[in-house]
């Protein structure tokens, strides 16, 4: 939200003011009521934050021109989806979803004896140029538990599936009345389908 406001508003101080006002309102009164935006919390939140920014500039008589420039953003369906601020919002949202999924995978590893899903997947992502024996040795040294290349490959395969499942769970929590179609749409818009394509219902290319 902070990154979006800073991309949207004229100054950093404006962004900080709107953020503080908005969060104070949420704490005191809860979230304002607006159109839900196809059931995705992402669309709902950008609408209420956008409206807060518009209202802030509209009230600021010292910057009437800035408020006029922002008027076309008061409606999230007004065709401004390709604006810099909206692209920043989507990028930041995607990063948060992935970060939360990594945290969930780490928690899953902690709760399951012998599970190194988070460790092996992280090693694979951070060192894509290394082969299985090298990665297995790296993980063994880091964890203090000997892991053969074969065991590493098995853990990695299962880790990828579990990461996809956790990612689907994370995105599903941001959708009201989730359906397979709405879930696929949201994953596609966030460029996350590549992580979960084999987990979703529907025809697949063999």
């Amino acid at each position: 939200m902070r990154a979006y406001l800073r991309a949207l508003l004229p100054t950093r101080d404006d962004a900080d003011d709107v953020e503080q006002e908005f969060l104070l309102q949420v704490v005191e009164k809860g979230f304002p009521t607006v159109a839900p935006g196809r059931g995705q919390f992402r669309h709902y939140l950008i609408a209420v934050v956008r409206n807060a920014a518009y209202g802030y500039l509209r009230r600021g008589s010292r910057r009437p021109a800035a408020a006029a420039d922002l008027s076309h953003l008061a409606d999230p369906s007004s065709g401004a989806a390709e604006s810099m601020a909206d692209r920043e919002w989507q990028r930041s949202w995607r990063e948060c979803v992935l970060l939360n999924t990594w945290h969930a995978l780490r928690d899953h590893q902690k709760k399951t004896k012998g599970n190194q899903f988070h460790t092996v997947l992280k090693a694979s992502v951070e060192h894509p140029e290394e082969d299985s024996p090298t990665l297995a040795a790296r993980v063994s040294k880091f964890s203090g538990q000997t892991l053969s290349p074969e065991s590493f490959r098995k853990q990695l395969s299962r880790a990828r599936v579990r990461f996809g499942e956790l990612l689907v769970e994370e995105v599903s929590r941001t959708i009201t009345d989730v359906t397979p179609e709405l879930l696929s749409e949201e994953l596609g818009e966030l460029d996350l389908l590549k992580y979960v394509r084999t987990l979703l219902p529907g025809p697949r290319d063999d």
Side-chain angles (χ1 to χ4, degrees):
M1 185 173 71
R2 182 181 297 112
Y4 175 73
L5 288 170
R6 287 179 179 173
L8 189 65
L9 293 167
T11 71
R12 182 182 293 266
D13 288 341
D14 288 325
D16 291 343
D17 287 347
V18 173
E19 181 185 24
Q20 291 173 17
E21 288 181 6
F22 178 77
L23 293 177
L24 181 61
Q25 175 183 321
V26 171
V27 170
E28 292 181 344
K29 303 178 181 179
F31 283 101
T33 301
V34 297
R38 293 180 293 171
Q40 288 104 318
F41 184 65
R42 176 169 60 91
H43 292 298
Y44 163 80
L45 190 57
I46 197 174
V48 295
V49 172
R50 189 197 306 264
N51 288 343
Y54 177 59
Y56 172 84
L57 287 184
R58 190 171 51 187
R59 294 193 305 270
S61 57
R62 66 189 184 281
R63 277 193 294 274
D69 290 342
L70 190 62
S71 62
H72 69 289
L73 298 180
D75 179 2
S77 64
S78 61
E82 293 302 316
S83 70
M84 180 179 68
D86 286 355
R87 289 195 298 270
E88 175 62 29
W89 176 270
Q90 185 156 313
R91 183 194 65 79
S92 297
W93 190 276
R94 181 180 188 275
E95 288 183 356
C96 286
V97 168
L98 286 171
L99 182 61
N100 287 345
T101 304
W102 277 107
H103 288 168
L105 188 66
R106 180 193 60 196
D107 293 341
H108 175 72
Q109 175 174 307
K110 289 180 179 179
K111 295 175 182 177
T112 311
K113 184 177 180 180
N115 182 301
Q116 297 195 57
F117 287 1
H118 181 272
T119 304
V120 299
L121 187 57
K122 196 80 169 176
S124 176
V125 169
E126 292 179 349
H127 305 280
E129 75 286 353
E130 296 183 352
D131 57 15
S132 296
T134 305
L135 287 168
R138 180 184 293 277
V139 171
S140 297
K141 182 177 180 180
F142 175 80
S143 65
Q145 302 177 20
T146 301
L147 192 68
S148 69
E150 182 181 1
S151 295
F152 174 87
R153 288 191 292 270
K154 289 181 178 179
Q155 289 254 4
L156 180 59
S157 177
R158 295 167 184 166
R160 286 170 174 157
V161 172
R162 187 57 184 148
F163 185 90
E165 293 170 344
L166 292 170
L167 182 58
V168 168
E169 292 176 12
E170 179 67 24
V171 173
S172 295
R173 281 196 288 269
T174 69
I175 300 175
T176 303
D177 299 325
V178 62
T179 64
E181 294 76 20
L182 200 54
L183 177 60
S184 293
E185 178 185 345
E186 181 71 350
L187 288 165
E189 288 184 8
L190 295 173
D191 191 27
L192 296 173
L193 276 173
K194 55 190 172 186
Y195 298 106
V196 303
R197 193 176 300 276
T198 59
L199 302 175
L200 297 177
R204 304 188 183 100
D205 296 329
D206 295 327

